[in-house]
Amino acid sequence: MKKLIIVFVTFLTVCCLLAPSAALAFTSDILDQPSFTYTLDGFSYKEASFTENGALQKIFYGEYNTTQENAKYEWVIHSIRSGSETTRSTVMEIATDYEQNTGRKVIFAANGDYFDLNTGANMESYVNNGIVVSKGSFATKHCIGFDNNGNVAIGRMTEVEKRLAVYTEGKPTFFTIDKFNQQPSEGEIAVYDTVGSFTVSDAGVTIVNTDEVNLSMYPVFGVSNTTVNGVKESKSFTLKSGQFAVVYTSEDEEFFSAHSYGCETDLVEIPSGQYQGCTWVLGGYDILVNDYVVNTNCHTDNSGNVAAPRTLIGFKEDGTGFLCMLDGRQPSYAVGVTVNQQAQIAAALGARYALELDGGGSTTVLVRIDDVLTLRNKPSDGSMRKVSNAIMLVEVDEQSDVTENPDDKPVNPDDPVNPDGKPVNPDGGDGTTSETPPALTWDFILAIVLCCIIIVLSVVSVIILVGKKGKKGGK
């Protein structure tokens, strides 16, 4: 009898330990009981607190379908840069910079790619508005590309094509570069990027000044500096260090004659291969979901197998894009998840494609509530970390006034108020909010019940064993 009781108690103990682990397969009801919700013109945002395997969790989720008719918002990637150099900045600073430079409000934002702590440069591929800013060199890391029209690519971006970009009122016109340092044929564009003197025939020449030393490292940003232009039978020109020349024929004479002086003229690369047509590409680490296939063997290096704050981007079948963040490293508030669990969450949220972004202390969640961009999560560093770039949902390209927040004060996510102390949109206004207390989840209830059963059975077992021992002692 004694052995039977010990076996039974051991069996129940194992069940108690395994049951919550089995519940780690996150399901689609993860956001069914949100603690906070907000909607605005089709943008939907939710927060939820729950317990998983006895550990507290806090999840932040926002989605928007840019493919819908008359969409008011679009997904973009932004960083603060000076030429080829990246300035590490908080997501709030990056969002503010975007608003000041475009006049378009940021509705929702999160941190983006991993980055070099010394230079601030992003680690993987980065495409901004169709132009390749950088190409990733880590075989184990990946990126995701999109165009806000429903096209999505995920994996490694390895193919690019060179282009000449000439800007008019801030918008680029792209030209295929047909030849380098060679006389162009009629209808072709040639770029000369070598120091020296050259002569071309039946062509026009635009000299471009840049601040770059190595013109082979794209993108190369320049300004046209030609005062005498037009197609001539014979034309000679000299290039100094930091200069390149655009040589064109009569087919493009009208355009380049109108853009000969003071126009931004750049040498750039655009995505090709599977990323062709992607106007935005964001780098990350592991592919979490690829065409509905969930990654069950995510990386374990870089603390991938340790519970931590996480950030991910995903796209659904209908073109809806979403960002999902989880806080962590704060046991009394939120523990966080592993990358494998992050993949489960992405699948549970309906992702067809999903990519792991930078996490840990970088995880940041900003939402525009009551027309004020507000910090919603609790970064594990204690404040917003300076990162390389940010993924943001912004107003479409229609000019609108930007509401400035000069203080940029973070807001306590557990007490949703604006930096001026006013309640966050309690009656709807431009958007609709709802705050409800967090609810217990079934896995937590199951864990409590099983633990109670174990305690009761253990006490009963001890009483039985003690009773039997007492009877033996009295014989």
Side-chain angles (χ1 to χ4, degrees):
M1 184 65 180
K2 178 179 178 181
K3 291 182 177 180
L4 181 61
I5 293 173
I6 293 174
V7 171
F8 184 61
V9 171
T10 302
F11 172 75
L12 287 177
T13 302
V14 171
C15 289
C16 184
L17 293 173
L18 292 180
S21 297
L24 283 176
F26 295 91
T27 57
S28 58
D29 63 357
I30 191 171
L31 289 168
D32 283 357
Q33 296 179 306
S35 57
F36 179 80
T37 62
Y38 179 73
T39 58
L40 178 66
D41 297 324
F43 166 62
S44 176
Y45 174 77
K46 295 180 179 180
E47 297 173 5
S49 298
F50 60 97
T51 304
E52 196 69 48
N53 196 25
L56 296 173
Q57 302 287 1
K58 184 66 178 279
I59 188 171
F60 307 83
Y61 175 85
E63 68 172 28
Y64 186 78
N65 190 341
T66 59
T67 68
Q68 63 185 297
E69 187 175 358
N70 299 320
K72 292 190 174 184
Y73 308 119
E74 64 179 346
W75 297 103
V76 304
I77 307 163
H78 188 62
S79 58
I80 298 178
R81 302 175 63 83
S82 177
S84 59
E85 300 296 322
T86 300
T87 301
R88 281 183 59 193
S89 312
T90 66
V91 177
M92 183 70 80
E93 291 169 340
I94 293 172
T96 301
D97 181 78
Y98 181 86
E99 291 183 335
Q100 291 175 346
N101 281 283
T102 66
R104 299 159 64 186
K105 294 180 182 179
V106 175
I107 306 303
F108 181 42
N111 59 292
D113 194 1
Y114 290 79
F115 56 91
D116 187 305
L117 290 171
N118 296 317
T119 66
N122 53 283
M123 302 292 283
E124 244 304 312
S125 297
Y126 174 23
V127 174
N128 185 297
N129 204 20
I131 294 175
V132 177
V133 177
S134 63
K135 299 186 292 292
S137 58
F138 293 88
T140 57
K141 289 183 170 62
H142 306 85
C143 51
I144 191 166
F146 56 91
D147 65 356
N148 284 305
N149 293 315
N151 298 312
V152 179
I154 196 166
R156 299 274 301 143
M157 190 184 79
T158 58
E159 299 177 68
V160 297
E161 296 177 0
K162 289 179 169 54
R163 290 288 189 272
L164 174 72
V166 182
Y167 285 78
T168 304
E169 297 181 351
K171 296 184 178 181
T173 299
F174 292 96
F175 294 87
T176 298
I177 302 175
D178 299 293
K179 293 176 180 176
F180 281 90
N181 302 309
Q182 296 181 49
Q183 166 78 42
S185 300
E186 179 60 37
E188 291 184 334
I189 297 287
V191 168
Y192 285 67
D193 58 2
T194 303
V195 173
S197 296
F198 308 90
T199 300
V200 294
S201 58
D202 298 317
V205 178
T206 294
I207 305 296
V208 180
N209 293 333
T210 81
D211 292 327
E212 306 295 333
V213 176
N214 186 354
L215 299 185
S216 65
M217 295 292 291
Y218 285 34
V220 175
F221 304 103
V223 177
S224 58
N225 188 38
T226 302
T227 55
V228 179
N229 53 73
V231 173
K232 300 181 182 300
E233 291 185 3
S234 179
K235 186 173 182 64
S236 297
F237 59 95
T238 298
L239 293 178
K240 301 176 182 178
S241 177
Q243 290 183 325
F244 68 88
V246 179
V247 180
Y248 55 91
T249 59
S250 58
E251 182 175 311
D252 297 303
E253 180 177 8
E254 182 178 354
F255 178 88
F256 283 99
S257 293
H259 296 79
S260 60
Y261 185 81
C263 291
E264 180 180 350
T265 305
D266 304 334
L267 299 177
V268 301
E269 293 173 322
I270 63 172
S272 186
Q274 68 166 327
Y275 283 87
Q276 185 172 1
C278 290
T279 48
W280 307 95
V281 176
L282 179 63
Y285 206 139
D286 257 340
I287 297 174
L288 302 176
V289 181
N290 189 356
D291 203 12
Y292 296 114
V293 177
V294 183
N295 188 352
T296 59
N297 188 32
C298 296
H299 70 92
T300 57
D301 64 315
N302 200 27
S303 301
N305 59 344
V306 177
R310 302 289 176 186
T311 302
L312 72 91
I313 180 174
F315 287 90
K316 300 182 180 181
E317 177 67 28
D318 66 353
T320 296
F322 68 86
L323 298 174
C324 177
M325 288 66 61
L326 289 99
D327 272 345
R329 295 177 181 165
Q330 304 169 74
S332 61
Y333 159 66
V335 173
V337 296
T338 66
V339 181
N340 273 340
Q341 291 171 324
Q342 189 181 24
Q344 294 173 11
I345 291 172
L349 294 172
R352 180 176 182 180
Y353 302 101
L355 180 73
E356 171 199 4
L357 302 180
D358 190 14
S362 297
T363 293
T364 306
V365 186
L366 300 183
V367 184
R368 179 172 291 279
I369 300 176
D370 204 18
D371 207 26
V372 176
L373 204 55
T374 306
L375 175 68
R376 291 300 305 177
N377 75 315
K378 292 183 178 180
S380 62
D381 284 356
S383 60
M384 287 182 280
R385 177 183 288 179
K386 292 183 180 294
V387 296
S388 174
N389 54 29
I391 171 73
M392 307 184 298
L393 184 69
V394 304
E395 292 177 324
V396 294
D397 195 6
E398 296 176 356
Q399 294 299 317
S400 58
D401 295 330
V402 177
T403 301
E404 295 183 0
N405 173 21
D407 294 328
D408 281 343
K409 296 177 182 177
V411 178
N412 185 341
D414 286 337
D415 184 19
V417 297
N418 293 326
D420 59 6
K422 297 178 181 179
V424 169
N425 202 18
D427 300 316
D430 292 334
T432 302
T433 64
S434 174
E435 187 110 23
T436 56
L440 293 176
T441 55
W442 282 110
D443 64 290
F444 184 58
I445 295 172
L446 177 62
I448 293 175
V449 171
L450 288 175
C451 288
C452 290
I453 292 174
I454 290 297
I455 292 172
V456 171
L457 289 175
S458 298
V459 171
V460 171
S461 300
V462 170
I463 293 174
I464 293 173
L465 291 174
V466 170
K468 284 183 172 292
K469 186 175 181 180
K471 289 180 180 180
K472 288 181 180 181
K475 288 182 180 179

